[in-house]
Amino acid sequence: MTLNYLMPTRMILEDDCLYRNRFLLGELGRKALVVTGKNSARANGAYADAVRALEANGQDHVLFQWVMSNPTDLCVHEAGALARAEGCDFVLAIGGGSPMDAGKAAAVLAVNNIPKEEFFGLAFKTALPLAAVPTTAGTGSETTPYSVLVDTTGPGGKTPRKEGPVKRSVGSSLLFPRLAFLDPKYSMGLNRDITVHTAMDALSHGIEGMLSVRASHISNLLARESIALIQGCLDSLCTFPPDPWALSREVREKLLLASSIAGMAIAQSGTVVPHSMGYLLTLNWGTDHGRANGLLMESFLKWCRAREAADPSIAPRIPSLCSALGMDLDRFCGVMEQLLGKREKATEKELAAWGAMPMKNAANTYIKPGQEDIMEMFQDALAPGDAPR
Ligand code: NAP
Ligand code: FE
């Protein structure tokens, strides 16, 4: 056995944790670049709490509030330039995965002069320290060393890329947030779709974490716990109340914790092929990231089950996954169908194009899918027509 485990984020979950633990924020620097999306951080009170904590500490800040969902390289370069121009010495990222990932990239770009076309794949040696406040319960970015961005820049710094935008991940231990403040109150008003889709993202991190070639004793421990926590919320998600505020605080808290724990799992194991495939749905259709993973999950898991059954040389993992889920695969797929509702359908042309594309995370999958397998999974998940599944 080999293990190489790193988890340097101090994660705090409690009511009003940002203000109560503001002294920790006080240790990060003098002036923060606060990174948010356009509206939610102000609407849910997280930005006001951050300002209260920073002011009580005597810390200054400048706000970058322009992060879109699935942030682009252009957006994070702007945020990095603002941090540099304003002399910020730390970053406080508040929001879903998009502002947290943008904040991580800005923390690097503030102290490294990296042209847009060179950011992906370039090693960097420094980054500003970062604190993260998740307000969705899904990506776990607050405990991962990844920043997932949309690369829009072609060779020579030309935008747009001739081949179209691609989702790319930057990974470095410097991108682990120093601090993660988990306060479920910020996600209380999150609507049904964002709540369910982000929960699907967290669930897919746990599931994919268990099906990664890099899965370890520790990542499996974390993945299983995150899956069990979300499993305990599935009934509440399936019967989501018309008023999002009516979903109990207990469920919100469980989802938030599960998401952070699943983040710790993929920090070790990485994600596998559904994540890479799902990026195409997000880029082409604007499908929420978690929903994209959810749409592909059934086809992927059934493909894994069939391969395990057909090839005795494969050490089976689906039974262990089902034990973490507390149900068999068919029942789980039924629950996913209920949560997904009507599935999006791809055209034959889209299926042919996507099925032919190499998938980066395929190599990280415990059974490596070939191009035909990927095509089959896309077809199974998204084939046109209304045939019942
Ligand atoms: P998101 O794009 O961050 O946010 C989705 C929407 O939710 C936005 O409209 C946002 O509004 C709103 N929102 C956020 N918090 C809210 C709240 N408390 N109440 C009401 N509305 C709220 O979505 P996400 O699913 O959390 O993040 C997706 C991104 O994370 C993708 O780019 C994905 O690739 C990435 N990701 C990263 C990792 C990682 O390890 N780093 C892992 C998985 C996924 P505002 O825009 O107004 O804030
Ligand atoms: Fe994800």
Side-chain angles (χ1 to χ4, degrees):
M1 187 201 301
T2 58
L3 262 180
N4 186 340
Y5 178 73
L6 174 68
M7 176 56 220
T9 305
R10 179 192 289 264
M11 190 259 262
I12 300 173
L13 187 161
E14 68 174 323
D15 283 338
D16 214 12
C17 53
L18 190 51
Y19 191 73
R20 283 191 196 186
N21 298 281
R22 62 191 177 279
F23 72 95
L24 291 170
L25 210 52
E27 291 167 1
L28 295 191
R30 291 170 290 97
K31 183 168 181 177
L33 174 76
V34 178
V35 179
T36 70
K38 291 196 181 104
N39 301 305
S40 68
R42 273 156 301 286
N44 63 36
Y47 175 62
D49 284 354
V51 171
R52 201 159 58 96
L54 292 166
E55 285 180 355
N57 284 339
Q59 291 166 301
D60 204 356
H61 81 276
V62 59
L63 176 63
F64 183 87
Q65 55 174 328
W66 310 116
V67 182
M68 68 291 281
S69 280
N70 306 295
T72 61
D73 49 356
L74 303 180
C75 166
V76 301
H77 270 80
E78 261 183 56
L82 180 65
R84 190 189 294 233
E86 291 279 339
C88 298
D89 53 3
F90 71 107
V91 176
L92 174 55
I94 305 172
S98 300
M100 289 192 285
D101 284 3
K104 290 175 176 183
V108 174
L109 293 164
V111 286
N112 293 277
N113 200 1
I114 305 175
K116 280 190 288 295
E117 65 277 20
E118 285 174 22
F119 187 39
F120 300 96
L122 193 82
F124 41 83
K125 292 201 172 70
T126 52
L128 296 179
L130 176 134
V133 182
T135 65
T136 61
T139 70
S141 178
E142 67 278 10
T143 54
T144 73
Y146 312 122
S147 169
V148 186
L149 303 171
V150 178
D151 182 5
T152 65
T153 307
K158 291 212 174 64
T159 305
R161 283 175 96 242
K162 210 167 75 209
E163 310 80 1
V166 277
K167 283 201 93 168
R168 290 217 167 125
S169 178
V170 181
S172 161
S173 56
L174 290 169
L175 295 182
F176 273 116
R178 296 270 182 97
L179 302 168
F181 293 108
L182 275 60
D183 192 335
K185 78 176 173 215
Y186 301 136
S187 62
M188 287 302 294
L190 207 56
N191 69 32
R192 189 256 173 212
D193 281 357
I194 303 180
T195 304
V196 168
H197 295 163
T198 47
M200 281 180 185
D201 191 22
L203 188 55
S204 68
H205 294 161
I207 291 173
E208 293 183 35
M210 289 185 74
L211 303 179
S212 158
V213 291
R214 284 158 52 202
S216 69
H217 263 66
I218 297 180
S219 70
N220 278 337
L221 196 76
L222 295 162
R224 291 178 69 92
E225 179 60 16
S226 70
I227 291 169
L229 281 165
I230 297 171
Q231 192 271 342
C233 301
L234 289 176
D235 283 349
S236 305
L237 292 175
C238 285
T239 54
F240 201 90
D243 173 9
W245 288 88
L247 191 71
S248 75
R249 189 192 174 287
E250 190 195 341
V251 170
R252 295 284 186 195
E253 181 178 274
K254 262 195 204 166
L255 291 171
L256 189 57
L257 177 61
S259 162
S260 274
I261 295 177
M264 293 176 198
I266 59 163
Q268 313 302 319
S269 64
T271 53
V272 298
V273 78
H275 257 69
S276 297
M277 294 168 70
Y279 288 163
L280 290 175
L281 310 191
T282 300
L283 284 167
N284 286 282
W285 292 345
T287 309
D288 286 352
H289 169 68
R291 180 175 176 83
N293 300 334
L295 284 166
L296 295 157
M297 196 51 69
E298 176 174 352
S299 312
F300 170 62
L301 293 178
K302 289 189 171 164
W303 176 82
C304 294
R305 180 171 66 180
R307 291 299 311 274
E308 284 184 1
D311 185 348
S313 72
I314 298 171
R317 297 201 194 181
I318 297 297
S320 163
L321 172 62
C322 288
S323 109
L325 283 165
M327 61 186 107
D328 67 28
L329 197 51
D330 293 316
R331 184 152 159 243
F332 172 64
C333 292
V335 176
M336 287 296 285
E337 282 310 298
Q338 211 182 323
L339 290 173
L340 285 165
K342 197 169 174 335
R343 278 175 177 261
E344 292 83 337
K345 300 288 178 188
T347 62
E348 295 291 353
K349 199 173 152 204
E350 285 167 328
L351 287 172
W354 300 345
M357 282 188 190
M359 296 294 149
K360 185 166 168 280
N361 291 8
N364 203 29
T365 312
Y366 80 118
I367 310 171
K368 191 173 174 321
Q371 213 59 55
E372 279 176 17
D373 302 312
I374 288 167
M375 173 70 94
E376 186 189 311
M377 286 184 233
F378 269 127
Q379 278 177 338
D380 186 39
L382 306 168
D386 286 326
R389 292 175 57 79

